[in-house]
């Protein structure tokens, strides 16, 4: 065959349409099985993939989010008034904000020498030789001077240390908890942007200027008012507020945006959930506290007031998920669905050939054994004739 | 058939090759339709999946990122010099940094008693009995003492409260905005690591030590200089700087790494974009401010200077996306593409059997109705003969 | 055909089962190739998709995570004791915590006038006219007063500026590094929640109250003790601690949760890895420092102590990945695998028709050319006969 001839053949053949030859089995049992299996597979796919998972949508799961938090509330603690500036830290209003609920204050520490706490290893002493000069115990408060001194106004003695004096354990003043903080509110402004869909959403409505800070969140009546009292948050997280006052705790504020932009974007309203994030079951290690100091100077000497603050830390965590119809995922999901339907054929072929086809009527029809009636002599590189003729009844072998 | 015989049959059959029988329809119309549909599907797939989506690549979308920020600039505000330490908070240089542009300062507050602000509910009074002792108004500044006192130097009276005195609304000093801050710069160092591809990239080049802090970013001429002036940032975010000075605002700094590691990793340079994150349309609630205090002590009494700071908060948000050729996604995408082409066959089969096949030439050839010529008597468990013979012309029924 | 007839036909046809007719090629060469290719594809899929990638699992990659950090340790720096409150910042114990290792302190700055640093552009002067009044150099420290003054106690002169005086470069005191900090420990509590699987895990065990802060992490012997010394962290990140003391640095602490919930969730223990995040190769720009100030007041004048702090910033980054068996991904993966096996048929068809089928035995059998024996006259809208008869040997054209 010449090259030109070949190209012509190829060109003409290119425009032919090829379609598989099918065998129609008029067996109602098989037909019912086939349709039933097909129905189940299709139903499952439509339900799970298209309705439940919305596989026809293009999705965006990592939106750009910005959080601004602001605490509000005033309370009286013993004789002093606590306002936002006093109990909210850090002050910048980011996505992590903590409220101090209880303080253990050590006033007026200075760099100097004083007695080590008696619970520190090897701190108890009776004479100077019991204290190693220059030693720093990891769990202690400073470097030993090598002297043994009376423990503040007590009768026993401990090693003297160079430290911030007096040490916290001795001089600490435990203030009562700020139980009134249960009414403090936190305003959580969250704006979210889905770059793929060019949609910008916020959790507040635009038209109410002053009302905003005075409202209280309610999923039904007030969904656009992200103001939560600490008591509400604790209750939602199933924690006792008084317990939180005692040990402190970290509570996650989850803002969930689940948006379907095939519908009106304005219907995309976030839901809020609250969960305690520091494990509760193991009491010894749960809780939240931190230490900070305020520094003063008097006559050139630096003083500090050390504060061990127990409180609630709110971690605002934003989850966003948005979807919108798109052609490509629809096609891919449909193709996957249709391909899955192919499983039905495999099952039914297997049923047909194994259970129904007792007389090999179907297999004889379905499988055209090429060695049965060779129309032309076969060339040598085919080992087909050599065993094909002897095993002519094996053609119903192994369907995939 | 013996078991040995069966196994032998199975073994020989296992090495047979099965391939579907095809019918070639020499209909040019159909062929053209088939090829055209095929061409469209393939083109779309190659373009969308392989070129646009790069589905042949393994991707990594959550890189490890580290951000370090540093503000620079000096400005004169009234009579005092503002340097970084004064206006940048928090100082640690993390991915959120704020610049104070305008302050409302309340000097020398102490814990004491003073008159409540007149705008607070029920704060106006004429006699002591108008004020409930011990009451704390949520929007007020402290706890009422039960006395009615003159409002500072004014003629009217309000309830006296225990609070940080004097109250902010009365004693606040509004400082002018730090307009010169438009020239302040922020240096944003960002390093990114794609663990899957073991690639580490940074947004600065290694070889210029001192130049770095003095350059200015330009996408073309200076892509490796991540130093941005606040004016540049505001302009890019389409905000007026003077407006930002007045109300404050949160601006997102988006660093986008879109890396194709099939090319040289050094070509992977980030782009920067800026967008205001607190919604702008609703003026009342947009803006950014926070309160903090500086504490002093004089003669054992604690004083604080309360500062309400308006400013720009920059939230640095890093997006990373990297891809590199990998076999498995390529195979999966190719298989999906090829399977999608199967849709063409379904369409063309439908066209052929419905519109073209008027004389049932094709359907007769395509569908081999098994009941037409039963070569052997059919056993009882087949209901096939019972209706098959009467409906012999139904074989061109329902192609999938 | 009547409508009723048609519906009846359709209904009966609907319950027929269609299955493709297959040709069995009894060619062992081809069979071996086919099975070999099939084997390879299946093996690869099972290994890669099912074992290596666990494609039968539903996965969750964005768990809710909460981090709490606490520094511990005491050290002596020159004559003063450094405890947590002094060197750890910010104090709130979030996922970013920094330790100050070296300070450059400028004591007692006040707002006033003093000489500009000589390295600032145009700061050197001999007479007042060299200094432009009101000018603020971006790299300088303040606004020029227009006077030329002696540079502190030196003999040369620079322009006088309004600034925080004395300027940092002149008055700074470089303190030695806190080398003892190598023994400081950081306790990193991390709790993680996979909402999809409703599993909550923490990196500490519940039963050891006081031991916890005293233990040291070891992957084998102490996996539930997330206490790391700074020396350990530096070593793991392959950094010299003394070098870090000098320049500072940002180290990422990666907590990796890789959980397989088909097994017992309690086997899900995190691994820790450490990597320096600010690039190391380019010395000039690597390192970590920040400036902050402590404010004092004396006789109504505000003083500040400016501190340039070099240190280690630890960025705790949590990665979570969990999977559990689920039906849908299993089906989808299986279908994809089975479809991929279809590639084998294409390869083998091509081999068969191109290399083996010299006498067109197979192609004659496989492709039923419909124009060969038209049983009925073809209608006009078929262009089939017009060329079909002349090219009857082209039917083995182009298999897909």
């Amino acid at each position: 065959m010449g090259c030109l001839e070949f190209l012509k053949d190829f060109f003409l053949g290119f425009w032919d349409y090829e379609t598989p030859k099918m065998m129609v089995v008029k067996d109602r049992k098989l037909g019912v099985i086939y349709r039933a299996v097909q129905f189940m597979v299709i139903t499952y796919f439509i339900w799970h993939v298209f309705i439940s998972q919305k596989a026809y949508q293009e999705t965006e799961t990592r939106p750009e989010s910005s959080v601004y938090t602001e605490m509000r509330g005033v309370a009286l603690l013993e004789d002093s008034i606590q306002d936002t500036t006093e109990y909210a830290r850090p002050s910048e209003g980011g996505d992590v904000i903590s409220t101090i609920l209880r303080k253990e204050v050590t006033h007026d520490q200075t760099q100097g020498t004083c007695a080590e706490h008696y619970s520190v290893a090897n701190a108890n002493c009776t004479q100077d030789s019991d204290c190693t000069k220059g030693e720093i115990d990891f769990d202690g408060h400073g470097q030993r001077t090598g002297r043994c001194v009376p423990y503040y106004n007590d009768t026993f003695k401990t090693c003297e240390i160079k430290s911030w004096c007096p040490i916290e354990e001795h001089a600490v003043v435990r203030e009562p908890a700020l139980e009134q903080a249960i009414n403090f509110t936190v305003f959580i402004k969250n704006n979210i942007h889905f770059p793929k869909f060019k949609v910008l959403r916020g959790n507040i409505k635009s038209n109410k200027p002053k009302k905003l800070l005075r409202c209280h969140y309610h999923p039904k009546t007030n969904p656009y008012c992200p103001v939560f009292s600490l008591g509400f948050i604790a209750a939602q997280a199933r924690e006792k507020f008084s317990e939180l006052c005692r040990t402190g705790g970290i509570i996650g504020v989850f803002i969930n945006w689940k948006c379907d932009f095939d519908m009106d974007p304005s219907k995309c309203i976030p839901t809020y959930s609250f969960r305690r994030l520091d494990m509760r079951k193991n009491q010894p290690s749960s809780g939240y506290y931190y230490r900070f100091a305020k520094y003063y100077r008097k006559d050139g000497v630096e003083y500090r007031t050390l504060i061990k603050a127990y409180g609630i830390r709110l971690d605002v965590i934003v989850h966003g998920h948005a979807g919108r119809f798109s052609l490509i995922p629809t096609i891919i999901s449909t193709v996957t669905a249709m391909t899955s339907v192919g499983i039905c054929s495999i099952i039914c072929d297997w049923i047909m050939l194994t259970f129904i086809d007792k007389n090999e009527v179907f297999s004889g029809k379905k499988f055209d054994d090429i060695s049965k009636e060779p129309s032309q002599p076969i060339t040598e590189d085919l080992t087909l004739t050599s065993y094909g003729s002897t095993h002519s009844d094996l053609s119903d072998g192994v369907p995939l």
Side-chain angles (χ1 to χ4, degrees), chain A:
Chain A
M1 210 174 3
C3 181
L4 206 73
E5 189 88 356
F6 175 78
L7 279 175
K8 191 180 161 194
D9 285 4
F10 178 83
F11 177 78
L12 288 171
F14 184 78
W15 299 108
D16 291 344
Y17 173 58
E18 284 164 26
T19 182
K21 294 187 87 163
M22 307 296 279
M23 178 174 73
V24 179
V25 181
K26 294 198 162 298
D27 182 283
R28 192 168 281 189
K29 241 188 233 168
L30 201 63
V32 168
I33 291 170
Y34 180 64
R35 291 299 176 188
V37 174
Q38 215 177 34
F39 178 77
M40 285 187 325
V41 171
I42 288 171
T43 308
Y44 194 62
F45 249 93
I46 286 177
W47 178 78
H48 184 94
V49 174
F50 285 89
I51 294 173
S52 157
Q53 303 272 12
K54 296 196 176 151
Y56 58 87
Q57 289 188 332
E58 195 178 20
T59 58
E60 163 96 86
T61 55
R62 304 181 66 212
E64 300 161 7
S65 158
S66 125
V67 170
Y68 171 74
T69 50
E70 194 181 334
M71 297 285 315
R72 292 192 83 226
V74 186
L76 188 78
L77 182 67
E78 292 185 313
D79 214 38
S80 80
I81 281 290
Q82 300 288 314
D83 60 6
T84 315
T85 320
E86 300 298 303
Y87 60 75
R89 275 175 67 100
S91 49
E92 285 88 352
D95 54 1
V96 174
I97 195 165
S98 70
T99 315
I100 299 171
L101 295 180
R102 191 164 66 81
K103 285 181 191 169
E104 297 182 4
V105 185
T106 313
H107 290 282
D108 294 332
Q109 286 187 320
T110 47
Q111 295 267 3
T113 57
C114 51
E116 176 64 289
H117 193 247
Y118 51 82
S119 74
V120 174
N122 305 319
N124 293 291
C125 59
T126 49
Q127 55 198 38
D128 287 0
S129 61
D130 294 347
C131 300
T132 318
K133 189 180 172 182
E135 192 191 24
I136 297 181
D137 190 273
F138 186 78
D139 296 308
H141 298 80
Q143 192 190 39
R144 304 203 174 160
T145 59
R147 272 181 297 172
C148 189
V149 294
Y151 185 74
Y152 301 95
N153 295 328
D154 256 312
T155 49
F156 63 93
K157 285 177 155 188
T158 59
C159 290
E160 193 189 48
I161 50 167
K162 197 187 268 279
S163 177
W164 284 95
C165 287
I167 60 166
E168 188 184 9
E169 275 89 343
H170 169 73
V172 71
V173 177
R174 284 187 179 74
E175 296 184 357
L178 193 67
E179 299 269 6
Q180 295 176 26
I182 199 165
N183 292 322
F184 288 178
T185 60
V186 59
F187 168 60
I188 302 171
K189 189 161 69 162
N190 177 222
N191 288 304
I192 205 165
H193 181 237
F194 292 98
K196 205 187 264 178
F197 304 122
K198 294 192 171 51
V199 175
L200 187 74
R201 294 287 301 156
N203 68 344
I204 48 173
K205 262 202 172 159
S206 35
N207 45 1
K208 296 156 189 162
K210 276 231 164 175
K211 258 191 195 168
L212 200 60
L213 292 170
R214 222 159 288 180
C215 66
H216 278 274
Y217 177 76
H218 189 279
K220 290 270 167 58
T221 59
N222 239 349
Y224 282 113
C225 164
V227 175
F228 310 91
S229 75
L230 291 186
F232 176 82
I233 289 175
Q236 288 282 310
R238 289 177 200 166
E239 297 292 328
K240 273 191 185 167
F241 192 78
S242 58
E243 184 66 26
L244 285 173
C245 282
R246 206 174 56 80
T247 62
I250 303 173
I251 294 183
V253 177
F254 299 93
I255 307 184
N256 299 293
W257 296 86
K258 204 160 174 60
C259 300
D260 184 349
F261 291 142
D262 291 335
M263 300 202 289
D264 187 2
S266 70
K267 284 191 182 155
C268 165
I269 296 171
T271 58
Y272 302 86
S273 57
F274 305 87
R275 209 165 48 72
R276 183 147 179 198
L277 291 179
D278 57 314
M279 271 165 115
R280 194 178 45 169
K281 283 169 194 168
N282 47 342
Q283 281 300 347
S285 65
S286 69
Y288 173 68
Y289 67 88
Y290 60 89
R291 280 189 182 84
F292 66 97
K294 289 180 183 172
Y295 294 87
Y296 306 100
R297 214 158 16 162
K298 207 163 87 183
D299 307 327
V301 180
E302 190 175 39
Y303 288 85
R304 75 174 189 189
T305 295
L306 179 66
I307 298 153
K308 184 176 183 183
Y310 289 82
I312 295 179
R313 192 178 86 186
L314 299 176
D315 289 14
V316 182
I317 297 170
V318 179
H319 285 291
H321 177 103
R324 191 162 59 186
F325 172 80
S326 177
L327 198 59
I328 284 288
T330 309
I331 290 177
I332 287 174
S333 297
T334 310
V335 165
T336 310
M338 276 169 22
T339 318
S340 303
V341 168
I343 292 175
C344 310
S345 295
I346 293 170
I347 294 169
C348 289
D349 270 9
W350 177 73
I351 291 172
M352 179 179 84
L353 296 169
T354 312
F355 296 107
I356 298 176
D357 192 23
K358 297 238 163 96
N359 294 303
E360 301 191 1
V361 183
F362 300 147
S363 65
K365 280 278 176 187
K366 182 175 168 68
F367 298 103
D368 183 8
D369 194 338
I370 205 167
S371 65
K372 265 177 186 164
E373 32 176 353
S375 55
Q376 290 161 6
I378 312 264
T379 52
E380 284 213 329
D381 63 30
L382 281 183
T383 56
L384 193 135
T385 43
S386 58
Y387 68 94
S389 52
T390 44
H391 305 290
S392 59
D393 54 345
L394 303 179
S395 54
D396 50 347
V398 186
L400 181 70

